[in-house]
C-alpha cells in the first residue's frame, strides 16, 4: 500500500513512520508513506499557501490553487482509491474504517491547517472526510499519522503474529481482555490461575468473559452495536 500525505508542515510527519511496526512495514515493502510539502506546489510569492477568508472572520484558509496543483500532479502518477481530508467535521474514525481502508492500494491524505481548506477542494477532489475525535488539533498531521498507524498495522504481513490484530480492542465491538507476563507472582499479586492452566479452551472462555465485563463496564455503547 502507498499513502501520500500533503502537508504544510512536513517536519511534523518525519518521525512517526520511522519506528517500530510502521518502519518494519516500510522495510518489508508493504507500506510506503510519502510526505508531500504543499509549498512546493504554489505559484504565489514567498511560497504562500493560505489567505484571508472571503466574507471576513478570524484565521486563514488554505488556498485552492496550491492544493489542486499538488493533487493533480500526484494523480498523474497514482490512481487513488480515496482522497481523505482530515478535519474535525468529518466522520469519526473507528476500527471498521481502519479495516476497510487497509484493503486499499493507494490513499492520499490532505492535512488542513489554520481555519481549513477552500471548500472547492472538498467538493471537487476529496472523496472522504475523517475526524479522529471531537476535539480540534492545530492541523491534520497528527490525525494523518493516527490513520496511517491504525491502517498500516492491519496490512497483511505487517504484524508478526497475524492473528494479533484480530484480538485487538474494537474488533467484534469488544474491548481486549487483561494480559499478563512474567513473573507469575509480583509483590504477592498473582496472575489468574486459569492463564497458567494450559487449558486453551478455558483460557479462551475466560478471555471472552473478561472482554464482555470490561466492555460492559467501560464502553456499554459498543454492546448495542
Ligand atoms: N484537524 C484538526 N482537528 C482534527 C481532528 N479532530 N481530526 C482530524 N483532523 C483534524
Amino acid at each position: 500500500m502507498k499513502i501520500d500525505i500533503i502537508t504544510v508542515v512536513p517536519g511534523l510527519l518525519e518521525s512517526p513512520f520511522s519506528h517500530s511496526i510502521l518502519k518494519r512495514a516500510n522495510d518489508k515493502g508493504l507500506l510506503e508513506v510519502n510526505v508531500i510539502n504543499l509549498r512546493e506546489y504554489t505559484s504565489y510569492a514567498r511560497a504562500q499557501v493560505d489567505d484571508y477568508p472571503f466574507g471576513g472572520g478570524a484565521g486563514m484558509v488554505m488556498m485552492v490553487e496550491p492544493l489542486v496543483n499538488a493533487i493533480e500532479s500526484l494523480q498523474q502518477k497514482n490512481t487513488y482509491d480515496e482522497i481523505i481530508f482530515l478535519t474535525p467535521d468529518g466522520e469519526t474514525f473507528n476500527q471498521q474504517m481502519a479495516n476497510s481502508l487497509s484493503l486499499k492500494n493507494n490513499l492520499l491524505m490532505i492535512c488542513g491547517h489554520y481555519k481549513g481548506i477552500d471548500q472547492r477542494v472538498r467538493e471537487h477532489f476529496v472523496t472522504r472526510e475523517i475526524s479522529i475525535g471531537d476535539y480540534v488539533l492545530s492541523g491534520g498531521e497528527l490525525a494523518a499519522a493516527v490513520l496511517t498507524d491504525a491502517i498500516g498495522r492491519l496490512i497483511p504481513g505487517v504484524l508478526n503474529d497475524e492473528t494479533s490484530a484480530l484480538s485487538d480492542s474494537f474488533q467484534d465491538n469488544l474491548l481486549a481482555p487483561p494480559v499478563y507476563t512474567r513473573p507469575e507472582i509480583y509483590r504477592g499479586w498473582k496472575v489468574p490461575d486459569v492463564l497458567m492452566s494450559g487449558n486453551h479452551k478455558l483460557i479462551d472462555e475466560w478471555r471472552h468473559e473478561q472482554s464482555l465485563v470490561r466492555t460492559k463496564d467501560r464502553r456499554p455503547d459498543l454492546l448495542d452495536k
Side-chain angles (χ1 to χ4, degrees):
M1 174 190 283
K2 194 151 83 79
I3 300 181
D4 292 338
I5 307 176
I6 297 176
T7 169
V8 283
V9 200
L12 264 178
L13 291 167
E14 260 161 29
S15 147
F17 312 121
S18 328
H19 304 278
S20 183
I21 287 171
L22 291 193
K23 178 177 188 302
R24 202 166 71 215
N26 184 266
D27 292 346
K28 285 185 180 174
L30 297 170
L31 173 66
E32 180 188 331
V33 180
N34 299 306
V35 177
I36 293 107
N37 185 349
L38 182 65
R39 292 188 198 279
E40 289 172 12
Y41 291 88
T42 181
S43 57
Y44 292 89
R46 291 180 299 282
Q48 184 185 357
V49 290
D50 61 319
D51 210 338
Y52 294 100
F54 282 135
M60 304 291 270
V61 176
M62 286 169 66
M63 301 157 100
V64 61
E65 192 239 45
L67 279 166
V68 171
N69 285 349
I71 295 166
E72 288 187 336
S73 151
L74 290 163
Q75 279 177 325
Q76 312 235 307
K77 292 170 275 173
N78 310 282
T79 305
Y80 292 107
D81 299 300
E82 299 279 7
I83 298 182
I84 299 168
F85 174 47
L86 285 315
T87 175
D89 59 8
E91 55 179 326
T92 309
F93 190 56
N94 61 27
Q95 190 65 38
Q96 278 69 41
M97 287 156 77
N99 291 345
S100 71
L101 288 170
S102 75
L103 303 174
K104 309 287 186 192
N105 291 319
N106 271 312
L107 299 176
L108 176 60
M109 299 189 190
I110 301 172
C111 305
H113 254 265
Y114 321 111
K115 276 286 163 198
I117 66 175
D118 191 298
Q119 181 62 26
R120 289 166 288 191
V121 178
R122 299 171 72 160
E123 279 167 17
H124 297 285
F125 291 91
V126 168
T127 59
R128 220 145 163 194
E129 305 194 324
I130 297 179
S131 162
I132 61 162
D134 290 346
Y135 40 80
V136 178
L137 302 166
S138 49
E141 285 75 13
L142 298 181
V146 166
L147 259 70
T148 303
D149 186 294
I151 294 166
R153 63 190 288 284
L154 295 173
I155 298 169
V158 169
L159 294 183
N160 273 341
D161 176 0
E162 292 251 12
T163 60
S164 75
L166 296 175
S167 58
D168 284 341
S169 282
F170 305 113
Q171 300 288 7
D172 296 336
N173 283 324
L174 287 179
L175 300 181
V179 292
Y180 299 85
T181 186
R182 289 191 299 174
E184 186 181 343
I185 303 175
Y186 176 75
R187 293 191 180 172
W189 305 327
K190 207 173 163 312
V191 171
D193 287 336
V194 61
L195 294 179
M196 311 307 293
S197 69
N199 183 331
H200 288 284
K201 186 168 172 289
L202 274 186
I203 292 172
D204 284 348
E205 281 169 12
W206 180 85
R207 286 187 169 146
H208 185 66
E209 209 172 278
Q210 291 293 312
S211 279
L212 279 171
V213 168
R214 208 170 243 199
T215 310
K216 226 180 263 175
D217 188 39
R218 301 178 181 196
R219 292 292 306 277
D221 57 299
L222 292 176
L223 296 173
D224 300 334
K225 287 188 179 162

